Amino acid sequence: MLYTSKNIVLKNDINAIFRSPLSSDAKAMTQFLKTCASETDFILSYPEECIEKEEDEKIFLERINASLYNMMIVCTINEEIAGNCTLMFNQKLKTKHRAKIAIGLIKKYWEIGIGTAMFSEMISIAKEKGILQLELDYIEGNERARILYEKMGFVPVAEKPNAIRLK
């Protein structure tokens, strides 16, 4: 599913572009994902688990853009990928009122408003699509994320003890 590009003004008058990923982003996206995974344990992958081959990432990006049920938004600042988020819609009749979201940001771009802006976009898109319930996974100890999630209206509904195991 494609996203209509938008210029976003963040804190400190930093200009960002929110857009769908391009096939030509494949190399930069593989590096972005590895960087995110190496900067925090709160991403669900380790760097070595990220897609290695540019061609595989290109195929993934093309599929998500062509999907009827998934969307990715990439945030670029000065043509560098600073963050991304995904919105994944359920397809079954009993659960199609729900969607799952995820977000990742490179550390040097934390605290400038990207997360809030991305959540606002995903919430808006979900409402347009008739979604009544957005869901995300939160890893205990990620206080920055918890504060953002609560600010955006998310509340804990369940715990999954021992769901994440670090090396």
Side-chain angles (χ1 to χ4, degrees):
M1 184 180 307
L2 293 173
Y3 171 82
T4 303
S5 296
K6 288 185 181 179
N7 292 319
I8 307 289
V9 179
L10 304 167
K11 292 179 184 176
N12 303 324
D13 290 325
I14 296 170
N15 291 306
I17 298 172
F18 284 10
R19 61 173 174 78
S20 289
L22 307 171
S23 297
S24 59
D25 289 327
K27 183 175 182 176
M29 185 63 77
T30 57
Q31 186 56 52
F32 163 80
L33 294 169
K34 286 180 189 177
T35 300
C36 279
S38 69
E39 291 179 336
T40 179
D41 282 332
F42 300 121
I43 299 290
L44 291 179
S45 299
Y46 283 109
E48 63 271 19
E49 296 174 310
C50 296
I51 293 175
E52 291 284 336
K53 295 180 182 171
E54 185 178 334
E55 187 59 33
D56 292 342
E57 184 66 19
K58 181 179 176 183
I59 291 167
F60 174 78
L61 296 175
E62 289 170 351
R63 283 186 183 154
I64 203 161
N65 284 340
S67 173
L68 298 176
Y69 304 104
N70 299 302
M71 171 186 281
M72 180 184 289
I73 301 171
V74 173
C75 171
T76 62
I77 297 176
N78 297 325
E79 299 184 21
E80 178 182 12
I81 298 175
N84 80 339
C85 59
T86 55
L87 185 56
M88 297 150 284
F89 299 93
N90 289 336
Q91 301 171 42
K92 305 270 185 194
L93 288 175
K94 291 181 180 181
T95 60
K96 72 189 293 187
H97 65 285
R98 297 169 31 208
K100 186 169 178 102
I101 60 175
I103 187 169
L105 303 173
I106 291 179
K107 194 173 194 172
K108 78 178 189 179
Y109 294 110
W110 290 359
E111 306 297 333
I112 61 170
I114 295 172
T116 299
M118 285 188 153
F119 267 89
S120 294
E121 286 298 306
M122 290 187 291
I123 290 167
S124 177
I125 292 163
K127 284 181 181 177
E128 288 173 14
K129 301 286 185 189
I131 298 300
L132 302 175
Q133 182 172 318
L134 281 175
E135 302 169 356
L136 55 83
D137 288 331
Y138 160 76
I139 299 174
E140 185 177 12
N142 190 353
E143 289 307 303
R144 290 179 51 263
R146 184 189 57 76
I147 291 166
L148 172 62
Y149 301 158
E150 288 176 358
K151 176 173 92 170
M152 301 309 294
F154 288 81
V155 296
V157 295
E159 290 185 16
K160 298 178 187 174
N162 302 310
I164 303 295
R165 294 202 175 212
L166 300 177
K167 289 182 180 177

